[in-house]
């Protein structure tokens, strides 16, 4: 199976047009974006004569082959090594909620897909559900019915509507919500399954799910033998 990564990009909002052209150049049609704010303190900003920077965060699934092309162009064309241009990082997913969802998320990239979608094993995982805006409560109700803990919601925008029609046979809204839930790996399959069954791609929520490996946690209700 081709190696798959979730690519994250954090850059200044002034760089949005530059990265938009970069995505189009490399035909990354399915991606998600949300806004953020830099955390540099006022004293550091004053010392550097800078104003607080507002950020944009992009998320997109890429293959190892795609990354080899992107990485070269990030340096040659975007000069990503210049301070202020942004940072790019890769995270290997642990699983994806079905072959069609994986095809949609990696649309346009050559990929060998096996039936088994578990890619990496850890004791805990960050379950991410991307859905049309306004369906968080429905998704969390479904997740809680499988004993999921609470989640966190991030508002975002998505692209790749034409790819959703091609691979999923549905139309997806641009306004998105990302629901983040840290779960035990032993719970993940049942939680992911009920989310996809009750709020999946053929429902109004249009949910797609994937998970990222978590190597350690603190703050969850753990039994004493786990300390």
């Amino acid at each position: 199976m081709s190696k798959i990564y979730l690519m994250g990009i954090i850059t200044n909002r002034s760089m949005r047009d530059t990265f938009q052209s970069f995505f189009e150049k490399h035909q990354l049609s399915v991606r998600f974006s949300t806004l953020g704010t830099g955390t540099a303190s006022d004293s550091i900003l004053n010392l550097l004569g800078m104003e607080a920077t507002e950020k944009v965060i992009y998320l997109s699934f890429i293959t190892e082959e795609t990354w080899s092309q992107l990485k070269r162009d990030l340096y040659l064309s975007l000069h990503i090594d210049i301070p202020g241009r942004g940072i790019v990082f890769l995270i290997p997913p642990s699983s994806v909620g079905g072959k069609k969802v994986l095809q949609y998320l990696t649309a346009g990239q050559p990929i060998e897909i096996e039936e088994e979608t578990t890619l990496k094993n850890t004791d805990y995982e960050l379950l991410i559900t991307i859905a049309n805006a306004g369906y968080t409560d429905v998704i969390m109700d479904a997740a809680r019915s499988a004993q999921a803990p609470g989640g966190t919601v991030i508002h975002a925008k998505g692209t790749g509507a034409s790819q959703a029609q091609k691979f999923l046979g549905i139309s997806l809204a641009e306004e998105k919500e990302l629901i983040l839930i840290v779960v035990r790996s032993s719970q993940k399959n049942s939680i992911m399954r009920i989310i996809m069954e009750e709020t999946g791609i053929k429902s109004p929520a249009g949910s797609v799910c994937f998970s990222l490996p978590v190597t350690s946690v603190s703050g969850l209700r753990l039994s004493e033998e786990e300390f």
Side-chain angles (χ1 to χ4, degrees):
M1 182 172 183
S2 303
K3 289 186 178 180
I4 306 298
Y5 299 99
L6 175 66
M7 178 178 68
I9 300 174
I10 302 174
T11 186
N12 294 337
R13 295 188 199 179
S14 61
M15 293 287 293
R16 280 185 293 186
D17 290 344
T18 300
F19 273 94
Q20 179 67 29
S21 299
F22 178 79
F23 295 140
E24 292 175 356
K25 175 181 178 180
H26 291 280
Q27 301 180 330
L28 292 180
S29 58
V30 180
R31 59 189 179 276
F32 306 92
S33 62
T34 187
L35 301 178
T37 303
T39 59
S41 66
D42 290 339
S43 59
I44 293 177
L45 292 173
N46 291 335
L47 180 64
L48 299 176
M50 299 171 59
E51 297 182 354
T53 54
E54 295 185 322
K55 305 291 185 180
V56 59
I57 299 98
Y58 296 104
L59 300 173
S60 182
F61 274 86
I62 62 171
T63 64
E64 188 173 36
E65 293 76 13
T66 299
W67 172 241
S68 65
Q69 301 170 14
L70 296 182
K71 186 175 181 180
R72 176 179 174 82
D73 207 26
L74 283 166
Y75 283 95
L76 295 180
S77 299
L78 265 62
H79 307 291
I80 198 70
D81 52 328
I82 297 176
R85 287 277 172 167
I87 62 170
V88 184
F89 55 90
L90 302 183
I91 303 173
S94 52
S95 63
V96 175
K99 182 187 290 187
K100 286 187 176 181
V101 170
L102 184 57
Q103 289 176 317
Y104 160 63
L105 292 173
T106 58
Q109 302 176 63
I111 180 174
E112 297 178 8
I113 302 175
E114 299 175 357
E115 288 298 327
E116 177 58 56
T117 56
T118 297
L119 309 176
K120 188 175 180 65
N121 292 316
T122 54
D123 291 334
Y124 295 89
E125 300 191 25
L126 175 62
L127 179 60
I128 301 180
T129 301
I130 300 173
N132 295 329
Y135 291 92
T136 297
D137 289 343
V138 177
I139 293 166
M140 285 307 304
D141 286 344
R144 290 190 184 100
S145 71
Q147 309 303 312
T152 299
V153 181
I154 299 174
H155 299 284
K157 284 192 174 183
T159 63
S162 61
Q163 302 297 338
Q165 188 68 45
K166 176 181 178 180
F167 291 104
L168 305 178
I170 58 169
S171 297
L172 295 180
E174 184 177 283
E175 295 296 325
K176 298 293 181 183
E177 288 172 347
L178 279 65
I179 299 95
L180 314 180
I181 312 173
V182 176
V183 301
R184 298 175 189 270
S185 297
S186 59
Q187 296 177 288
K188 181 204 63 180
N189 287 341
S190 60
I191 295 171
M192 184 179 287
R193 185 180 302 111
I194 197 164
I195 288 175
M196 296 306 295
E197 287 176 353
E198 297 190 9
T199 69
I201 54 179
K202 294 185 178 180
S203 76
S207 298
V208 297
C209 289
F210 59 92
S211 63
L212 305 178
V214 174
T215 57
S216 184
V217 300
S218 179
L220 297 181
R221 294 180 179 177
L222 307 177
S223 58
E224 290 185 2
E225 60 266 22
E226 293 185 74
F227 288 100

